[in-house]
Amino acid sequence: MKIAYISTFPPRECGIATFNQNLMHAINANYPKRKTLLEGGFVVALNDSENIQEYEYPEDVKYVIRQNHQKDYIRAANYINTSAVDAVILEHEFGIYGGESGIYILPLINRLEKPLISILHTILKDPSYVQRIIIREIAEQSSKIVVMSKRAVEFLTTIYDIPVEKIQIIEHGVPDLEASEENPVKNLTPFKNRRVMLTFGLISRNKGLETVVRALPKIVEKHPDVMYVVLGNTHPGVVKHSGEEYRDHLKSLAAQLKVTQHLAFINKFVAEDELIDYLTAAEVYVTPYLNEAQITSGTLSYAVGAGAAVVSTPYWHATELLADDRGRLFDFKNADALAETVNELLDDDALLNELKENAYEYGLHLRWPVIGSEFIKVAQEAAATHDFSDKILKNSIVDPEVLPKFSLAHVTRLTDDTGIVQHAKYGIPNLKEGYCVDDNSRALIMALMAYQRNGSQEAYRLLPIYLSYIHYMQTDDGNFRNFLSFDRRYLDEVGTEDSFGRTIWALGHLINCAASNSYREFALELFHRSYPHFKALRYLRGLANTIIGVSLYLQAFPTDEGMVQELKRMTQPLIDAYNNTRSDDWEWFEESMTYDNAILPLALLHSCEITGNEGAKKIALTTMAFLDKLTLSNGYLSPVGNDGWYYRGGKFPTFDQQAIETMAMVLMHFQAYQIFRKPQYIEKMFLSYKWFLGENTLRAPLYDHETKGCCDGLLPTGINRNQGAESTLAYLISHLTVLKAFELEYEYNKIEEHVKLC
């Protein structure tokens, strides 16, 4: 039985990494002839870094996935499929995979041709929509779901609707070790001549260690020889964002309570053979977690396996594992109850030893080799019953292999501390042309999308620049100027309706998905100041852009009835324009198709999503179909060219093709998919996007792999090599939209398969 393991892995400091390494050893321990772990399979390791070489992995790691790189997941699936493994074990925790709640793992498991066993380390009682979808999809793709507690089974069957026969309980393994006869830990300063309370594991605020510190005064009053030892490093994620703030807080709290001499930190990671000595050297082991939502605790399992006297808050795993007098429970955050429980145990050696013996006896069946044999049975059954022909596989509509790596290099080149510069000569910023609110609004949308996708700090640093520019361009009465010279002189008194609408779109997007509350408040202030100008809008594209922004605002504030009515009012001119212009051979809003054409049906799609206006929905679908017939009928996107535009009864202009046309097509089709859930819209979205990569009239790519910018358009003579903000931002917004669509692959592939089967 050879197994591929998908997990974090040491030397990365992570509880799941340690669990997976132990599981590999446990399974191999059941095959005594194997000399190395590699004989039993290999690991596909998850990196929390862009650098594949971040960790010095052992030879067991044969493939590395960078958490936020979608292509890595697809390539990992291909690597596993072409290997000789018999089964795959997936360690699942939402935070170790990329995308919203770790959704990037779904395309990988959807492509696996090997039987999959998934171990769920976190099962939420109140999952978000996406989290519930992820767990359900993992279950569907898995031969077996392994959990470590009865409560987990209850949640999976009642909350996630997963069949009970697909679930198996295998408890958390513990080291197959016995304490040293001469325990060296007892000679360490914090332990010598002390009665030790111990907590170990990666330190973070959710561990509730302050409850133990607050209990110390009452414990020490009765037992002055007590020492509370916290063994373990601060969680790497906490160190990255907050440093040692939590550890320092605990020290400060101990000083306030005058128990500094009874608190000791051993700031290091200890191996299992050393950990057993720490656990058996302690009188009491404490897990003071702050709430019940802990379905599995490896540290608790280790403590029970070592025969420790455990005192814990009643989180889900603890209530099961410490039943039948294997430990004691106290209420969350209740320091007095903890002190009372610890004092009772320290006062009665017989009671203390009884808890230890009960825990030790139960822990014998949790030893890793025993647990390993259980997993072998599951894997063997999965391999024996696996029928790959039952799994309908198709290539994804969105092929991530053709997507260039996302990069903000050219955007940062065009951006200074004022905003993003409008134009470029080739890939060099053209400072003579200054700035415009159009591009800074697009840049704000793009930066927000990039930050949403993977928490990009590079994108996050750009947000205040673009928002500040918009603020600077807002007039006293709430309108917006558009153009600013490089030396920061206003070049107009009032911008166009188009630029106004694009700014409202950007503000609505920010309000809808603010990176921080202060940004949302700032955007709300600018948005509401501009509101009086909504009624003055006359031109369709200005209205359309504003409609999109207002729709996004209403997703965040759906009870703003006044804004709902304003949205309905602004939508009506688009409906009227279509009804007054259309004919059997001209399903459009105007007598001509000019620029940014897809923005009009896109706006109606956004509006009907909020208002439920069936007339707007029907017009959106009809005009989309008309636009698609004109621009996608050749098998690639050929948007209406700006060289003359397209008039009713006239000749369709091939050139000058602009990037904003393509962006609008991408956004339109993705919005249509989100409303109607028809895979054809994803196909058209991706077909439109590939215009940037060379599937266009000239068969020439506009995306520049060297500069990471996008050329300004297609001319009769070739490519306009200038790479301004408008075209580059249009490309990046399109790229990010495609990546978002790829996250939903599990959904639209399934829809398409169902249609074929029917």
Side-chain angles (χ1 to χ4, degrees):
M1 176 59 59
K2 289 180 178 289
I3 297 171
Y5 302 82
I6 304 171
S7 175
T8 54
F9 205 73
R12 179 176 173 182
E13 291 184 10
C14 168
I16 291 176
T18 303
F19 178 93
N20 194 77
Q21 185 181 52
N22 286 333
L23 180 58
M24 287 184 70
H25 282 286
I27 288 174
N28 266 23
N30 286 270
Y31 296 94
K33 292 184 179 180
R34 289 180 180 172
K35 296 179 181 179
T36 66
L37 287 178
L38 202 54
E39 292 180 49
F42 59 84
V43 176
V44 174
L46 272 296
N47 264 24
D48 53 354
S49 166
E50 294 290 298
N51 180 11
I52 289 180
Q53 308 300 326
E54 176 78 10
Y55 301 105
E56 293 184 14
Y57 288 118
E59 64 173 358
D60 321 312
V61 175
K62 290 300 182 186
Y63 199 90
V64 176
I65 295 174
R66 292 164 293 179
Q67 181 173 340
N68 293 313
H69 283 249
Q70 287 165 294
K71 289 182 184 179
D72 288 358
Y73 292 82
I74 306 306
R75 292 167 182 166
N78 295 336
Y79 184 87
I80 293 169
N81 288 338
T82 55
S83 74
V85 298
D86 303 296
V88 180
I89 289 179
L90 171 75
E91 308 284 0
H92 183 264
E93 167 68 53
F94 292 110
I96 66 175
Y97 300 107
E100 183 181 354
S101 296
I103 201 169
Y104 289 3
I105 192 60
L106 297 188
L108 188 162
I109 63 173
N110 190 53
R111 285 167 169 75
L112 283 179
E113 299 170 7
K114 310 284 186 177
L116 175 66
I117 299 105
S118 295
I119 306 171
L120 304 185
H121 290 266
T122 297
I123 303 165
L124 301 173
K125 188 177 182 180
D126 298 300
S128 68
Y129 173 80
V130 172
Q131 288 164 342
R132 186 172 183 271
I133 285 291
I134 289 169
I135 296 298
R136 284 176 56 83
E137 188 65 18
I138 288 173
E140 183 164 328
Q141 298 295 334
S142 300
S143 299
K144 211 75 170 179
I145 292 290
V146 174
V147 296
M148 303 177 200
S149 67
K150 296 174 185 175
R151 183 63 66 92
V153 177
E154 177 191 330
F155 285 179
L156 289 178
T157 54
T158 60
I159 299 170
Y160 298 86
D161 299 321
I162 295 171
V164 68
E165 59 270 16
K166 203 159 199 177
I167 308 168
Q168 180 160 339
I169 296 177
I170 302 179
E171 292 191 76
H172 196 296
V174 301
D176 188 25
L177 298 169
E178 298 290 343
S180 309
E181 286 189 20
E182 295 293 328
N183 193 336
V185 168
K186 291 184 177 180
N187 293 319
L188 298 178
T189 301
F191 285 79
K192 197 168 187 178
N193 301 319
R194 295 280 196 168
R195 304 189 81 180
V196 172
M197 296 164 55
L198 178 69
T199 298
F200 85 91
L202 294 173
I203 297 173
S204 60
R205 277 197 174 272
N206 65 332
K207 299 298 175 68
L209 305 185
E210 61 273 13
T211 304
V212 188
V213 177
R214 290 194 175 98
L216 280 176
K218 288 188 176 181
I219 296 172
V220 169
E221 184 180 355
K222 288 196 69 176
H223 300 280
D225 57 346
V226 161
M227 174 70 75
Y228 178 41
V229 175
V230 179
L231 172 63
N233 296 328
T234 301
H235 193 287
V238 175
V239 172
K240 183 177 180 180
H241 294 103
S242 306
E244 294 292 354
E245 180 268 338
Y246 182 52
R247 191 186 296 265
D248 293 341
H249 163 69
L250 295 173
K251 291 178 181 177
S252 176
L253 179 60
Q256 293 172 29
L257 298 173
K258 298 182 172 54
V259 290
T260 298
Q261 301 305 313
H262 299 272
L263 174 65
F265 289 95
I266 301 178
N267 188 10
K268 72 171 186 175
F269 174 82
V270 294
E272 286 182 353
D273 54 351
E274 189 180 2
L275 177 60
I276 191 75
D277 289 331
Y278 278 96
L279 287 168
T280 53
E283 294 277 7
V284 176
Y285 183 79
V286 188
T287 57
Y289 297 161
L290 295 177
N291 60 66
E292 66 177 0
Q294 182 88 14
I295 207 78
T296 304
S297 169
T299 59
L300 179 68
S301 297
Y302 279 25
V304 169
V310 181
V311 178
S312 173
T313 49
Y315 54 90
W316 295 324
H317 192 201
T319 57
E320 290 186 30
L321 193 55
L322 300 183
D324 301 325
D325 287 327
R326 291 190 290 269
R328 288 293 187 87
L329 301 175
F330 68 96
D331 287 340
F332 299 107
K333 303 180 184 179
N334 192 333
D336 290 340
L338 171 59
E340 184 180 340
T341 302
V342 170
N343 281 332
E344 181 186 1
L345 293 175
L346 295 180
D347 286 342
D348 189 339
D349 287 343
L351 181 60
L352 189 68
N353 289 330
E354 183 182 354
L355 286 185
K356 290 182 177 181
E357 288 172 10
N358 291 343
Y360 179 82
E361 287 299 319
Y362 189 81
L364 290 175
H365 89 277
L366 302 180
R367 298 286 177 104
W368 271 118
V370 178
I371 297 299
S373 68
E374 292 296 310
F375 274 98
I376 290 170
K377 292 175 188 174
V378 172
Q380 287 173 336
E381 182 182 349
T385 58
H386 182 64
D387 185 356
F388 178 63
S389 63
D390 286 344
K391 189 172 184 178
I392 302 173
L393 266 190
K394 66 181 289 299
N395 292 327
S396 176
I397 297 171
V398 177
D399 181 3
E401 289 296 332
V402 308
L403 273 65
K405 180 182 177 182
F406 180 80
S407 172
L408 290 170
H410 192 53
V411 166
T412 55
R413 190 179 300 121
L414 292 173
T415 302
D416 59 20
D417 59 357
T418 297
I420 191 165
V421 175
Q422 282 189 83
H423 297 299
K425 295 294 288 183
Y426 298 95
I428 307 302
N430 183 358
L431 304 181
K432 294 179 180 180
E433 301 294 337
Y435 318 85
C436 69
V437 79
D438 275 313
D439 289 336
N440 280 274
S441 296
R442 291 189 190 97
L444 181 61
I445 293 169
M446 183 281 301
L448 280 164
M449 291 175 71
Y451 180 70
Q452 277 182 293
R453 177 175 171 263
N454 60 14
S456 167
Q457 291 303 302
E458 187 179 16
Y460 188 78
R461 286 190 291 271
L462 293 172
L463 291 176
I465 297 174
Y466 305 137
L467 186 55
S468 177
Y469 180 89
I470 291 171
H471 174 244
Y472 188 64
M473 299 303 282
Q474 188 168 42
T475 60
D476 292 340
D477 68 352
N479 210 328
F480 295 95
R481 296 182 174 90
N482 192 8
F483 297 110
L484 188 73
S485 68
F486 183 66
D487 59 358
R488 296 183 180 176
R489 287 181 295 107
Y490 294 125
L491 298 179
D492 54 7
E493 290 302 317
V494 177
T496 64
E497 288 192 12
D498 283 9
S499 65
F500 177 90
R502 290 187 185 112
T503 307
I504 300 304
W505 181 350
L507 293 174
H509 190 97
L510 178 54
I511 292 164
N512 181 259
C513 60
S516 74
N517 194 50
S518 61
Y519 284 157
R520 173 177 278 130
E521 290 174 357
F522 193 6
L524 280 167
E525 182 181 318
L526 300 181
F527 184 90
H528 287 301
R529 284 184 63 195
S530 69
Y531 175 71
H533 297 277
F534 291 4
K535 289 181 170 55
L537 296 171
R538 296 290 178 267
Y539 296 103
L540 295 186
R541 284 161 183 77
L543 283 163
N545 282 284
T546 306
I547 285 168
I548 296 169
V550 171
S551 298
L552 292 169
Y553 163 87
L554 285 169
Q555 287 179 5
F557 295 95
T559 59
D560 188 340
E561 189 56 37
M563 199 63 72
V564 172
Q565 294 306 315
E566 184 61 26
L567 176 62
K568 291 178 179 178
R569 187 198 64 78
M570 288 191 295
T571 303
Q572 194 59 44
L574 271 71
I575 295 173
D576 293 342
Y578 169 79
N579 287 330
N580 293 335
T581 308
R582 70 158 302 275
S583 63
D584 291 343
D585 61 350
W586 188 258
E587 300 283 1
W588 198 241
F589 303 87
E590 302 166 302
E591 293 292 333
S592 61
M593 301 184 80
T594 55
Y595 65 96
D596 210 2
N597 292 296
I599 205 75
L600 301 178
L602 173 62
L604 290 181
L605 290 170
H606 276 280
S607 178
C608 72
E609 184 180 27
I610 299 296
T611 65
N613 187 325
E614 290 297 322
K617 184 187 295 185
K618 183 177 180 181
I619 294 170
L621 289 172
T622 301
T623 53
M624 277 180 64
F626 182 65
L627 184 59
D628 287 347
K629 184 177 180 181
L630 288 170
T631 61
L632 292 174
S633 57
N634 293 327
Y636 56 85
L637 177 64
S638 180
V640 175
N642 282 8
D643 185 17
W645 294 332
Y646 180 45
Y647 291 87
R648 191 201 298 246
K651 183 180 178 182
F652 189 89
T654 303
F655 302 102
D656 175 16
Q657 295 180 21
Q658 299 287 307
I660 60 166
E661 300 292 334
T662 303
M663 179 187 81
M665 292 288 285
V666 168
L667 293 173
M668 177 185 72
H669 286 117
F670 185 57
Q671 178 67 11
Y673 174 75
Q674 290 183 300
I675 294 174
F676 303 110
R677 288 314 201 243
K678 292 184 177 180
Q680 68 193 58
Y681 294 122
I682 297 293
E683 292 177 359
K684 291 178 179 179
M685 176 211 70
F686 193 51
L687 185 61
S688 298
Y689 166 78
K690 289 190 286 187
W691 178 89
F692 291 107
L693 306 183
E695 293 198 23
N696 52 47
T697 308
L698 295 181
R699 298 297 175 185
L702 285 90
Y703 177 73
D704 188 331
H705 290 267
E706 181 180 359
T707 65
K708 314 304 181 188
C710 179
C711 298
D712 281 349
L714 288 182
L715 305 172
T717 54
I719 298 173
N720 180 342
R721 291 291 309 285
N722 295 331
Q723 298 172 17
E726 179 181 285
S727 55
T728 296
L729 292 167
Y731 166 75
L732 292 173
I733 289 171
S734 300
H735 184 100
L736 289 164
T737 302
V738 169
L739 290 176
K740 182 67 176 175
F742 182 60
E743 293 177 13
L744 303 174
E745 176 198 51
Y746 69 92
E747 182 180 87
Y748 50 75
N749 277 357
K750 194 176 297 180
I751 294 168
E752 197 158 67
E753 289 161 6
H754 175 73
V755 170
K756 288 178 180 177
L757 289 171
C758 292

